[in-house]
Amino acid sequence: MHVLDLDGMLRRLHLPTVRRLYPECEQRAETEDQSYRDFLATLIAEEVAHRAQTRIERSVRKARFPFLRTIEDFDFTFQTSIRLQLLGSYLGPELVSEGRSLVLCGPTGTGKTHLAIAIAYRAIQNGYEALFTSAAEMIETLSVAVRRGEMAKTLAHYTHPPVLVIDEVGYLAVGADAANLMFQVVNERYLHRRPMLFTTNKPLAAWGLVLHDPDLAEAILDRVLERGRLVELRGASYRTRHLKAVDHRSSAPEVVRISGNQRSDFPEPTTRAWSSTKTVTRSGPPSPRSCVSTASHRRSTPIAPVGRRSRARPAVDTTARTQIGRALERLGVEHILAYSPQARGRSERVNRTLQDRLVKELHRAGIATVARANSYLEAVFLPAYNAEFARSPAHLESAFVPLGGADLEAIFCHEEARTVQRDNTVTLDGVRLQIAKQPGRVSCAGLAVVVRRHLDGTHTIWWGPKLLGRYNNQGRALSREPLVHAAAPGAAA
């Protein structure tokens, strides 16, 4: 029987990872009695992961970052004027697909360049190319190109990359033609809906002085902010944090400011709203995730629950998906959000109901125990409340739909995307998780994984459908018995 030259064919097909790993995977498949499909899937997954990592490394070199930083490296506990949730829509594919832009403004050392590089690096991980340049370097390069008659070629260098980072606008002096040159870059990218990330230490009103042309500066910002956002960073410099310098410029706590969103001048007083018809012994009201999880474990889910934020915030990114929103999306449930603590009060006043009616009724009835509260709910409160406010439904079908075979343990958890670091670790909420050596892999560094913190406090790391590790709430590795959690949407297969 003619023996096929498998090694030679893999060389011709340019599959170096398969060629390197297939002898080891073949032995393991025989030992573990794997199916042909599982054996092939393992080899292809390794090849895909290797190519993805190689592409990322090549794109990072091409992007010309002065240093590499990730969003996981950013210390949000030190820089408290911004939250990770506000950047959610800039860390997904929609940054490029929707042509979003961002201006990071603030004093030196507040993390502007770190965030810009982290967002651009995440775009690279999502499959796009990026380019980093300082404003002074770009303007000088374009100015030289004009004098040499090479403007079209040089301009394309800045307008073609899917993501462009323009760093340090206003740090260094630029020539008199700066506004004209920057406008050509911005306008071309604006017309093709390509995102731009700016960092600056100057307020936007001063860009006219920086670029020597107020009218063109206004035109530049108008195009950037049409599909973009201004985020102002405040606080002490991270570089000199060890000096413990005291900033006497303001005694008031600083918060992130986003253009186009203003806080109410007359905030409405509100109190806590209860979302359960069963009194339980716990500190504080139940979380949305636990409420929906309880309903879902009864094998049905609400069609469209209404959620609300737990406390007031100066601005909300309505495109950023929350953890409860992710869980409901996985269940196929529409999530209707209320973006302020006053929203529930307004809706209750419109419908002539009362905020915290249950709390007031229990207090008025002198109830102080859980047993009496539950008895009062069933015998008195609910019948009276329904008699006063119940209306005939417009649709007679149930508000709940069958749950089917959804994996609730994988859905009702805190889930974050992470990139495995060079030391084979990932971090979630300060808990460092060490990935053990995986069969057939030298290292997991660079893999795009999903980290989940489950309701019982344990953590798991997933690379597509493959479990890389299980850990307790302190990050200590547990036994790796097989799990069948569903892969996160968009994760590597």
Side-chain angles (χ1 to χ4, degrees), residues 100-319:
R100 300 183 178 183
S101 293
L102 182 66
V103 180
L104 297 164
C105 178
T108 183
T110 50
K112 303 182 298 297
T113 302
H114 182 146
L115 287 175
I117 291 176
I119 292 171
Y121 179 64
R122 182 60 64 86
I124 290 175
Q125 291 178 307
N126 289 331
Y128 301 102
E129 298 292 328
L131 177 65
F132 180 97
T133 181
S134 69
E137 177 189 2
M138 182 185 73
I139 291 169
E140 177 62 23
T141 302
L142 291 172
S143 182
V144 171
V146 170
R147 294 194 296 270
R148 293 179 177 177
E150 301 174 352
M151 181 60 177
K153 177 181 177 181
T154 307
L155 185 63
H157 176 70
Y158 297 105
T159 58
H160 282 186
V163 178
L164 177 65
V165 179
I166 301 178
D167 193 38
E168 298 180 342
V169 177
Y171 275 71
L172 300 176
V174 291
D177 58 347
N180 175 53
L181 297 172
M182 183 174 286
F183 175 80
Q184 293 187 60
V185 173
V186 170
N187 187 58
E188 185 71 15
R189 296 187 64 86
Y190 165 78
L191 293 175
H192 290 87
R193 300 181 69 90
R194 291 176 182 146
M196 296 164 279
L197 309 174
F198 292 84
T199 71
T200 180
N201 65 339
K202 296 291 191 294
L204 300 190
W207 278 33
L209 297 175
V210 171
L211 300 176
H212 313 298
D213 191 325
D215 293 334
L216 274 180
E218 182 178 355
I220 289 171
L221 291 172
D222 183 67
R223 285 160 172 77
V224 171
L225 296 178
E226 178 182 330
R227 294 187 294 268
R229 171 180 296 164
L230 166 66
V231 174
E232 293 189 20
L233 303 175
R234 289 286 180 255
S237 170
Y238 188 79
R239 299 185 186 95
T240 57
R241 63 192 182 282
H242 60 285
L243 300 178
K244 298 181 179 180
V246 179
D247 187 358
H248 299 287
R249 289 175 292 179
S250 173
S251 59
E254 295 286 352
V255 297
V256 66
R257 292 176 54 199
I258 298 179
S259 61
N261 293 276
Q262 301 296 331
R263 284 180 283 182
S264 171
D265 294 331
F266 305 96
E268 300 175 6
T270 60
T271 52
R272 187 190 314 168
W274 289 69
S275 58
S276 174
T277 57
K278 194 76 170 178
T279 303
V280 294
T281 53
R282 57 179 291 147
S283 58
S287 68
R289 189 183 299 120
S290 65
C291 290
V292 178
S293 178
T294 301
S296 297
H297 277 87
R298 297 171 184 164
R299 311 315 296 173
S300 65
T301 58
I303 294 173
V306 177
R308 66 187 182 91
R309 300 292 182 176
S310 59
R311 60 184 176 89
R313 292 184 173 94
V316 174
D317 182 357
T318 60
T319 63

Side-chain angles (χ1 to χ4, degrees), residues 10 15 17-18 25 37-51 463 493:
L10 292 174
L15 298 173
T17 305
V18 173
C25 291
R37 184 185 184 283
D38 290 342
F39 172 62
L40 179 61
T42 299
L43 286 175
I44 298 302
E46 293 290 349
E47 183 68 44
V48 169
H50 176 76
R51 292 193 178 192
W463 180 47

Side-chain angles (χ1 to χ4, degrees), residues 376-403:
Y376 179 83
L377 281 174
E378 297 179 3
V380 179
F381 180 82
L382 288 178
Y385 191 92
N386 290 333
E388 182 177 356
F389 298 111
R391 299 290 183 271
S392 298
H395 305 284
L396 296 179
E397 63 268 19
S398 173
F400 290 80
V401 295
L403 185 58

Side-chain angles (χ1 to χ4, degrees), residues 107 426 466:
V426 294
K466 183 177 181 180

